[in-house]
Amino acid sequence: MTAAAALLLADLTGVAIFAASGASAAVVKRLDLFGVVFVGFVAALGGGIFRDLVIGDGPPLAFADWRYAVTAMVTAAAVFWLHPQLARLRTTVLVLDAAGLGLFTVTGTLTALDAGLPPLGAGMIGMMAGIGGGLGRDLLTGEIPVVLRREIYAVAALAGAVAVVGLDRAGLAGPGPLMAAALFVFAVRLVALRRRWSAPVPADPPAGDGAVPAARQADDGRRVERQADHGGGVDRQADDGRAADQGR
């Protein structure tokens, strides 16, 4: 198998995996057939479209090569019809997404390197190619994108892109090492999910500064809503107390 054929096979495999991931997420949100296929298409090809537009590689392969669009739409439609047989869709979405992340990071980085981009630029494009599909999927299904949350997602893609750049610089960019890089991204993502690894987030401000932590603000808001729902809240309780005092 030539290098071009191996890259095409890896690309189409990533398309199918991300299409299944996007379609599974759309099924969970109870979208119709068109919605499921559309979300699957965006999840599968969004990262590749970004990659091709940035490196100026003619019209994106998603539109220039019919095999990409057909692979994405057929896979998404299959998930729509077969989803009753897919148990635990949440786990399925996460596993498929991790696999697609690894494959698209590797192929995106390698394509950027073949286009003559320097290592830093190729690594950034590879990372964006890997996370672009999941970003589009989450936005279309009304979720906060995984890449913007604490989970190790973009970091795993960036680590995989760095690995591909290193292999290419060492002259080891063959099918075996590249597949190992994709498996590395896949493993990092799944282990991070399993062990609940996360990136740092801003700490709550000190209590002495007069600022109320966001979590406590939310609790206070819910408490006020519950009091209002129970017929009058704090003001009514105070009025009842004064009435009792007057009666005594």
Side-chain angles (χ1 to χ4, degrees):
M1 181 183 292
T2 65
L7 184 61
L8 175 63
L9 179 60
D11 232 6
L12 291 178
T13 303
V15 166
I17 290 173
F18 257 142
S21 169
S24 298
V27 166
V28 172
K29 294 293 184 176
R30 305 294 296 169
L31 273 62
D32 62 13
L33 176 59
F34 177 81
V36 170
V37 172
F38 183 73
V39 173
F41 181 90
V42 171
L45 300 173
I49 291 172
F50 171 85
R51 174 199 66 199
D52 294 340
L53 289 176
V54 170
I55 66 178
D57 190 15
L61 285 173
F63 307 120
D65 191 332
W66 62 270
R67 291 172 291 189
Y68 285 80
V70 169
T71 299
M73 291 189 291
V74 169
T75 303
V79 171
F80 177 85
W81 292 112
L82 299 176
H83 76 87
Q85 286 74 40
L86 297 176
R88 301 179 64 185
L89 279 177
R90 172 66 177 169
T91 302
T92 301
V93 170
L94 291 174
V95 173
L96 291 176
D97 183 73
L101 180 68
L103 284 171
F104 269 16
T105 297
V106 170
T107 58
T109 307
L110 194 60
T111 301
L113 289 170
D114 290 342
L117 270 72
L120 178 60
M124 295 299 293
I125 289 176
M127 181 190 71
M128 290 301 299
I131 68 178
L135 181 65
R137 177 203 63 216
D138 292 341
L139 291 174
L140 288 173
T141 55
E143 298 287 342
I144 298 175
V146 173
V147 68
L148 301 180
R149 294 186 297 213
R150 300 195 308 172
E151 297 179 10
I152 301 299
Y153 191 79
V155 174
L158 183 59
V162 170
V164 173
V165 170
L167 290 171
D168 181 75
R169 300 283 285 182
L172 300 174
L178 292 177
M179 185 56 65
L183 290 174
F184 169 72
V185 177
F186 177 74
V188 169
R189 172 65 179 148
L190 289 187
V191 171
L193 286 171
R194 178 75 174 179
R195 295 185 176 273
R196 300 184 182 276
W197 291 345
S198 64
V201 297
D204 288 333
D209 292 347
V212 180
R216 200 168 75 190
Q217 290 178 7
D219 291 339
D220 291 343
R222 286 192 293 268
R223 189 179 301 112
V224 169
E225 291 176 358
R226 287 196 299 267
Q227 290 171 346
D229 291 340
H230 284 84
V234 177
D235 292 339
R236 182 173 175 181
Q237 292 174 6
D239 291 341
D240 291 343
R242 285 195 293 270
D245 291 339
Q246 292 172 0
R248 289 196 295 270

